[in-house]
Structure formats: structure tokens, C-alpha cells
Amino acid sequence: ARSSASSEGVEDVDAWIVGLFLVPVFHHLWFLWFLCWLVAGFALYATLAKWVGFRGLPDLLVTSPLRYAWLLPLTWLPQLVMRSGGESPGFGPDTSVGWLPYPHLLFYYAIFFFFGVVYHDSAGSAHKLGRRWWLTLPLGLLVILPFALEFSMEGEWSHEFEGLRHPIGALLEVSYTWLMIFGLMGLFGKMFRSESPAMRYISDSSYWLYLAHLPMILLAQWWVQDWPLSPFIKFPLVCVIVTGLLLVTYRYCVRYTWLGTLLNGPRQRSISTPTST
């Protein structure tokens, strides 16, 4: 009887621990919870780096093509553990919406987070990363992506690589991810160098749109579900209406309030002065 009670107690503890991983708590806000873990990890990293005198990786390993030699295998390892391309085919990384993040997922996103840290600290990093965007973007979109989808989604001809489809698909997925990251950084650094007040405003509002969009999207979908229109019309219509409403709420209810200060820092209303005649 004592052994039975003890085993039941262990099972309860195991179920409680599993529940911390599996019970959905954060839903679409899971990324913010991951960010809390990563910021805590950054605080520990900064403390240790200052203590041992670590000044970051050599610039050659960060801004030159040699970065792929360590970024790809490092990112490939956690991608291998994910269900994408395994028993449940899919493309891209998984998510974790419980109180405790899956360790391999936290490690996966930490790679991108801390690469940003070492890139920020690297010597002479300005405008170096992504300068070959004209090559990496077509390579990622036109070459790597089709093969990644074929292997990860278990296409027809990739069956010839049975047993290797998941490892190959995972490597192609992370290759596509890094190529697109560096390519888009280079493209935007080349094409959009000048300050744009409109883009700055949209960038400031994006945090609020991310936080508040889900209930409005669900409400709008319920509203239009029975309309006798093509989904190709209803989908952009929902996006435009919800985005417009959220931009209005950001302007009048968030931007110059304590919530706007919490999200983006303080913002001052522009005061137009009359011109003298």
C-alpha cells in the first residue's frame, strides 16, 4: 500500500511537471515569455563576460561567410528535435505556450538572440552583415526553400531519401532561415537608409498590434464568415479593417499614455507653431 501511494505521488508530480510544459497559457504571446527567459540569460551572459573580460567573437566569425560554418550546425541540432519533418510533417520551428518552454526550443531561439548580441558587439560590424543580399535572397527563396518544403513536408520524390529526409529537411530549413535573415538585413540596409516618419510610426505601433490583434481578428472572422464572398476577398478585408482599427486605437488610446511608454518609451505630441506673416 505504501509503495502504491508512493508511486501515485510520483505520477502526480510527473503530471504536474508535464502540465507546466503542455498546458497552453500564453497562446500567441508565447514569444514575449521566451523573451523574458532570453533577457535573463543575457543578464547572466553580460555579468560573466564582464567578469572574465570576454569582448565578443572575432569579427571574422560574425560578419564574414564563415559565420555559416558554426551557425548552421548549431541551429540544425535543435531543429532536428522538432516535429517538423518527423512523425508530423511541417515547415519551420515549433512553438511552446506553457509556463516552462521546451529546452530545445529555448536553445533554438537563443541562438538567434545571442547572435544579435555578438553582432552588436563585433568590431566594424556596420553595414557588413547582409551586403551580399543580391545573392542570399534569390538563393534562399528560389533554391533552398523549394527543397526545404519538399523534404520537410514529405514530398513525392524525397521518398528516395527515406531515413534521411528529416535531417536533410532540418538542415535546409535552418539554411533558408539564416539566408533570409541576412539577405533582408542587407536589402533593407541598402534600400531604406533614410529616416521615414511614416515607417517609424508603423514600427512603433507594431508592438501594440501584436499584443491586441488576436481577439479582433477572431471577431472579424466571425463577422464575415457567412458573407457570400470569396475567402480571397474576405481575408485581405479582415486584415485591412483590423489593422486600421488597431492603428486608430494606438494613436488615441496607447501612444501617448503610460501603456505606450511601457511598450516603446515616452512619446511627445508634436506641437505645430503658427508661422509669422
Side-chain angles (χ1 to χ4, degrees):
R2 181 179 301 175
S3 175
S4 176
S6 176
S7 62
E8 290 179 0
V10 171
E11 291 177 357
D12 290 341
V13 172
D14 290 343
W16 183 76
I17 294 175
V18 170
L20 291 177
F21 285 100
L22 297 181
V23 175
V25 177
F26 296 100
H27 300 281
H28 75 293
L29 301 179
W30 65 270
F31 181 73
L32 290 181
W33 183 232
F34 268 58
L35 196 58
C36 292
W37 287 81
L38 295 175
V39 169
F42 171 73
L44 178 61
Y45 159 82
T47 302
L48 293 176
K50 183 178 181 179
W51 182 50
V52 301
F54 178 69
R55 298 185 179 275
L57 295 176
D59 194 44
L60 185 66
L61 294 178
V62 178
T63 59
S64 79
L66 281 177
R67 63 183 179 273
Y68 293 107
W70 62 275
L71 283 175
L72 291 183
L74 192 64
T75 319
W76 179 59
L77 293 176
Q79 184 71 57
L80 280 174
V81 185
M82 300 182 197
R83 290 173 295 176
S84 301
E87 296 179 2
S88 178
F91 183 81
D94 297 333
T95 57
S96 176
V97 295
W99 281 109
L100 292 180
Y102 293 125
H104 68 284
L105 278 179
L106 187 63
F107 176 65
Y108 175 85
Y109 289 105
I111 297 170
F112 298 93
F113 181 91
F114 280 97
F115 180 81
V117 172
V118 296
Y119 174 58
H120 182 270
D121 292 338
S122 62
S125 62
H127 306 300
K128 284 187 176 182
L129 202 61
R131 62 186 181 273
R132 296 183 181 88
W133 60 270
W134 48 269
L135 173 62
T136 54
L137 282 180
L139 179 62
L141 283 171
L142 303 178
V143 180
I144 302 297
L145 179 59
F147 283 99
L149 290 171
E150 169 67 27
F151 279 86
S152 300
M153 303 299 292
E154 298 187 355
E156 294 184 3
W157 66 265
S158 62
H159 279 281
E160 299 179 5
F161 297 86
E162 193 67 41
L164 294 175
R165 279 193 301 176
H166 181 48
I168 294 175
L171 181 59
L172 290 169
E173 287 183 58
V174 299
S175 300
Y176 167 75
T177 301
W178 283 113
L179 286 172
M180 293 303 296
I181 287 174
F182 297 137
L184 289 173
M185 288 176 66
L187 174 64
F188 278 80
K190 178 72 173 180
M191 302 295 184
F192 304 98
R193 290 184 178 180
S194 59
E195 178 71 16
S196 169
M199 293 304 297
R200 167 53 59 190
Y201 186 89
I202 293 175
S203 177
D204 290 344
S205 68
S206 62
Y207 205 168
W208 167 246
L209 267 64
Y210 164 64
L211 293 174
H213 79 279
L214 188 58
M216 296 187 67
I217 287 287
L218 294 175
L219 182 62
Q221 288 177 336
W222 171 82
W223 180 41
V224 304
Q225 63 179 341
D226 296 326
W227 289 12
L229 295 175
S230 166
F232 294 102
I233 297 177
K234 291 193 285 187
F235 175 75
L237 183 64
V238 166
C239 292
V240 169
I241 291 175
V242 171
T243 301
L245 290 174
L246 287 172
L247 287 174
V248 171
T249 61
Y250 175 73
R251 172 64 175 81
Y252 293 103
C253 303
V254 176
R255 184 169 175 83
Y256 302 110
T257 67
W258 64 268
L259 181 56
T261 301
L262 178 65
L263 297 179
N264 300 109
R267 294 289 185 271
Q268 299 294 328
R269 296 180 186 271
S270 58
I271 301 176
S272 58
T273 57
T275 59
S276 58
T277 59

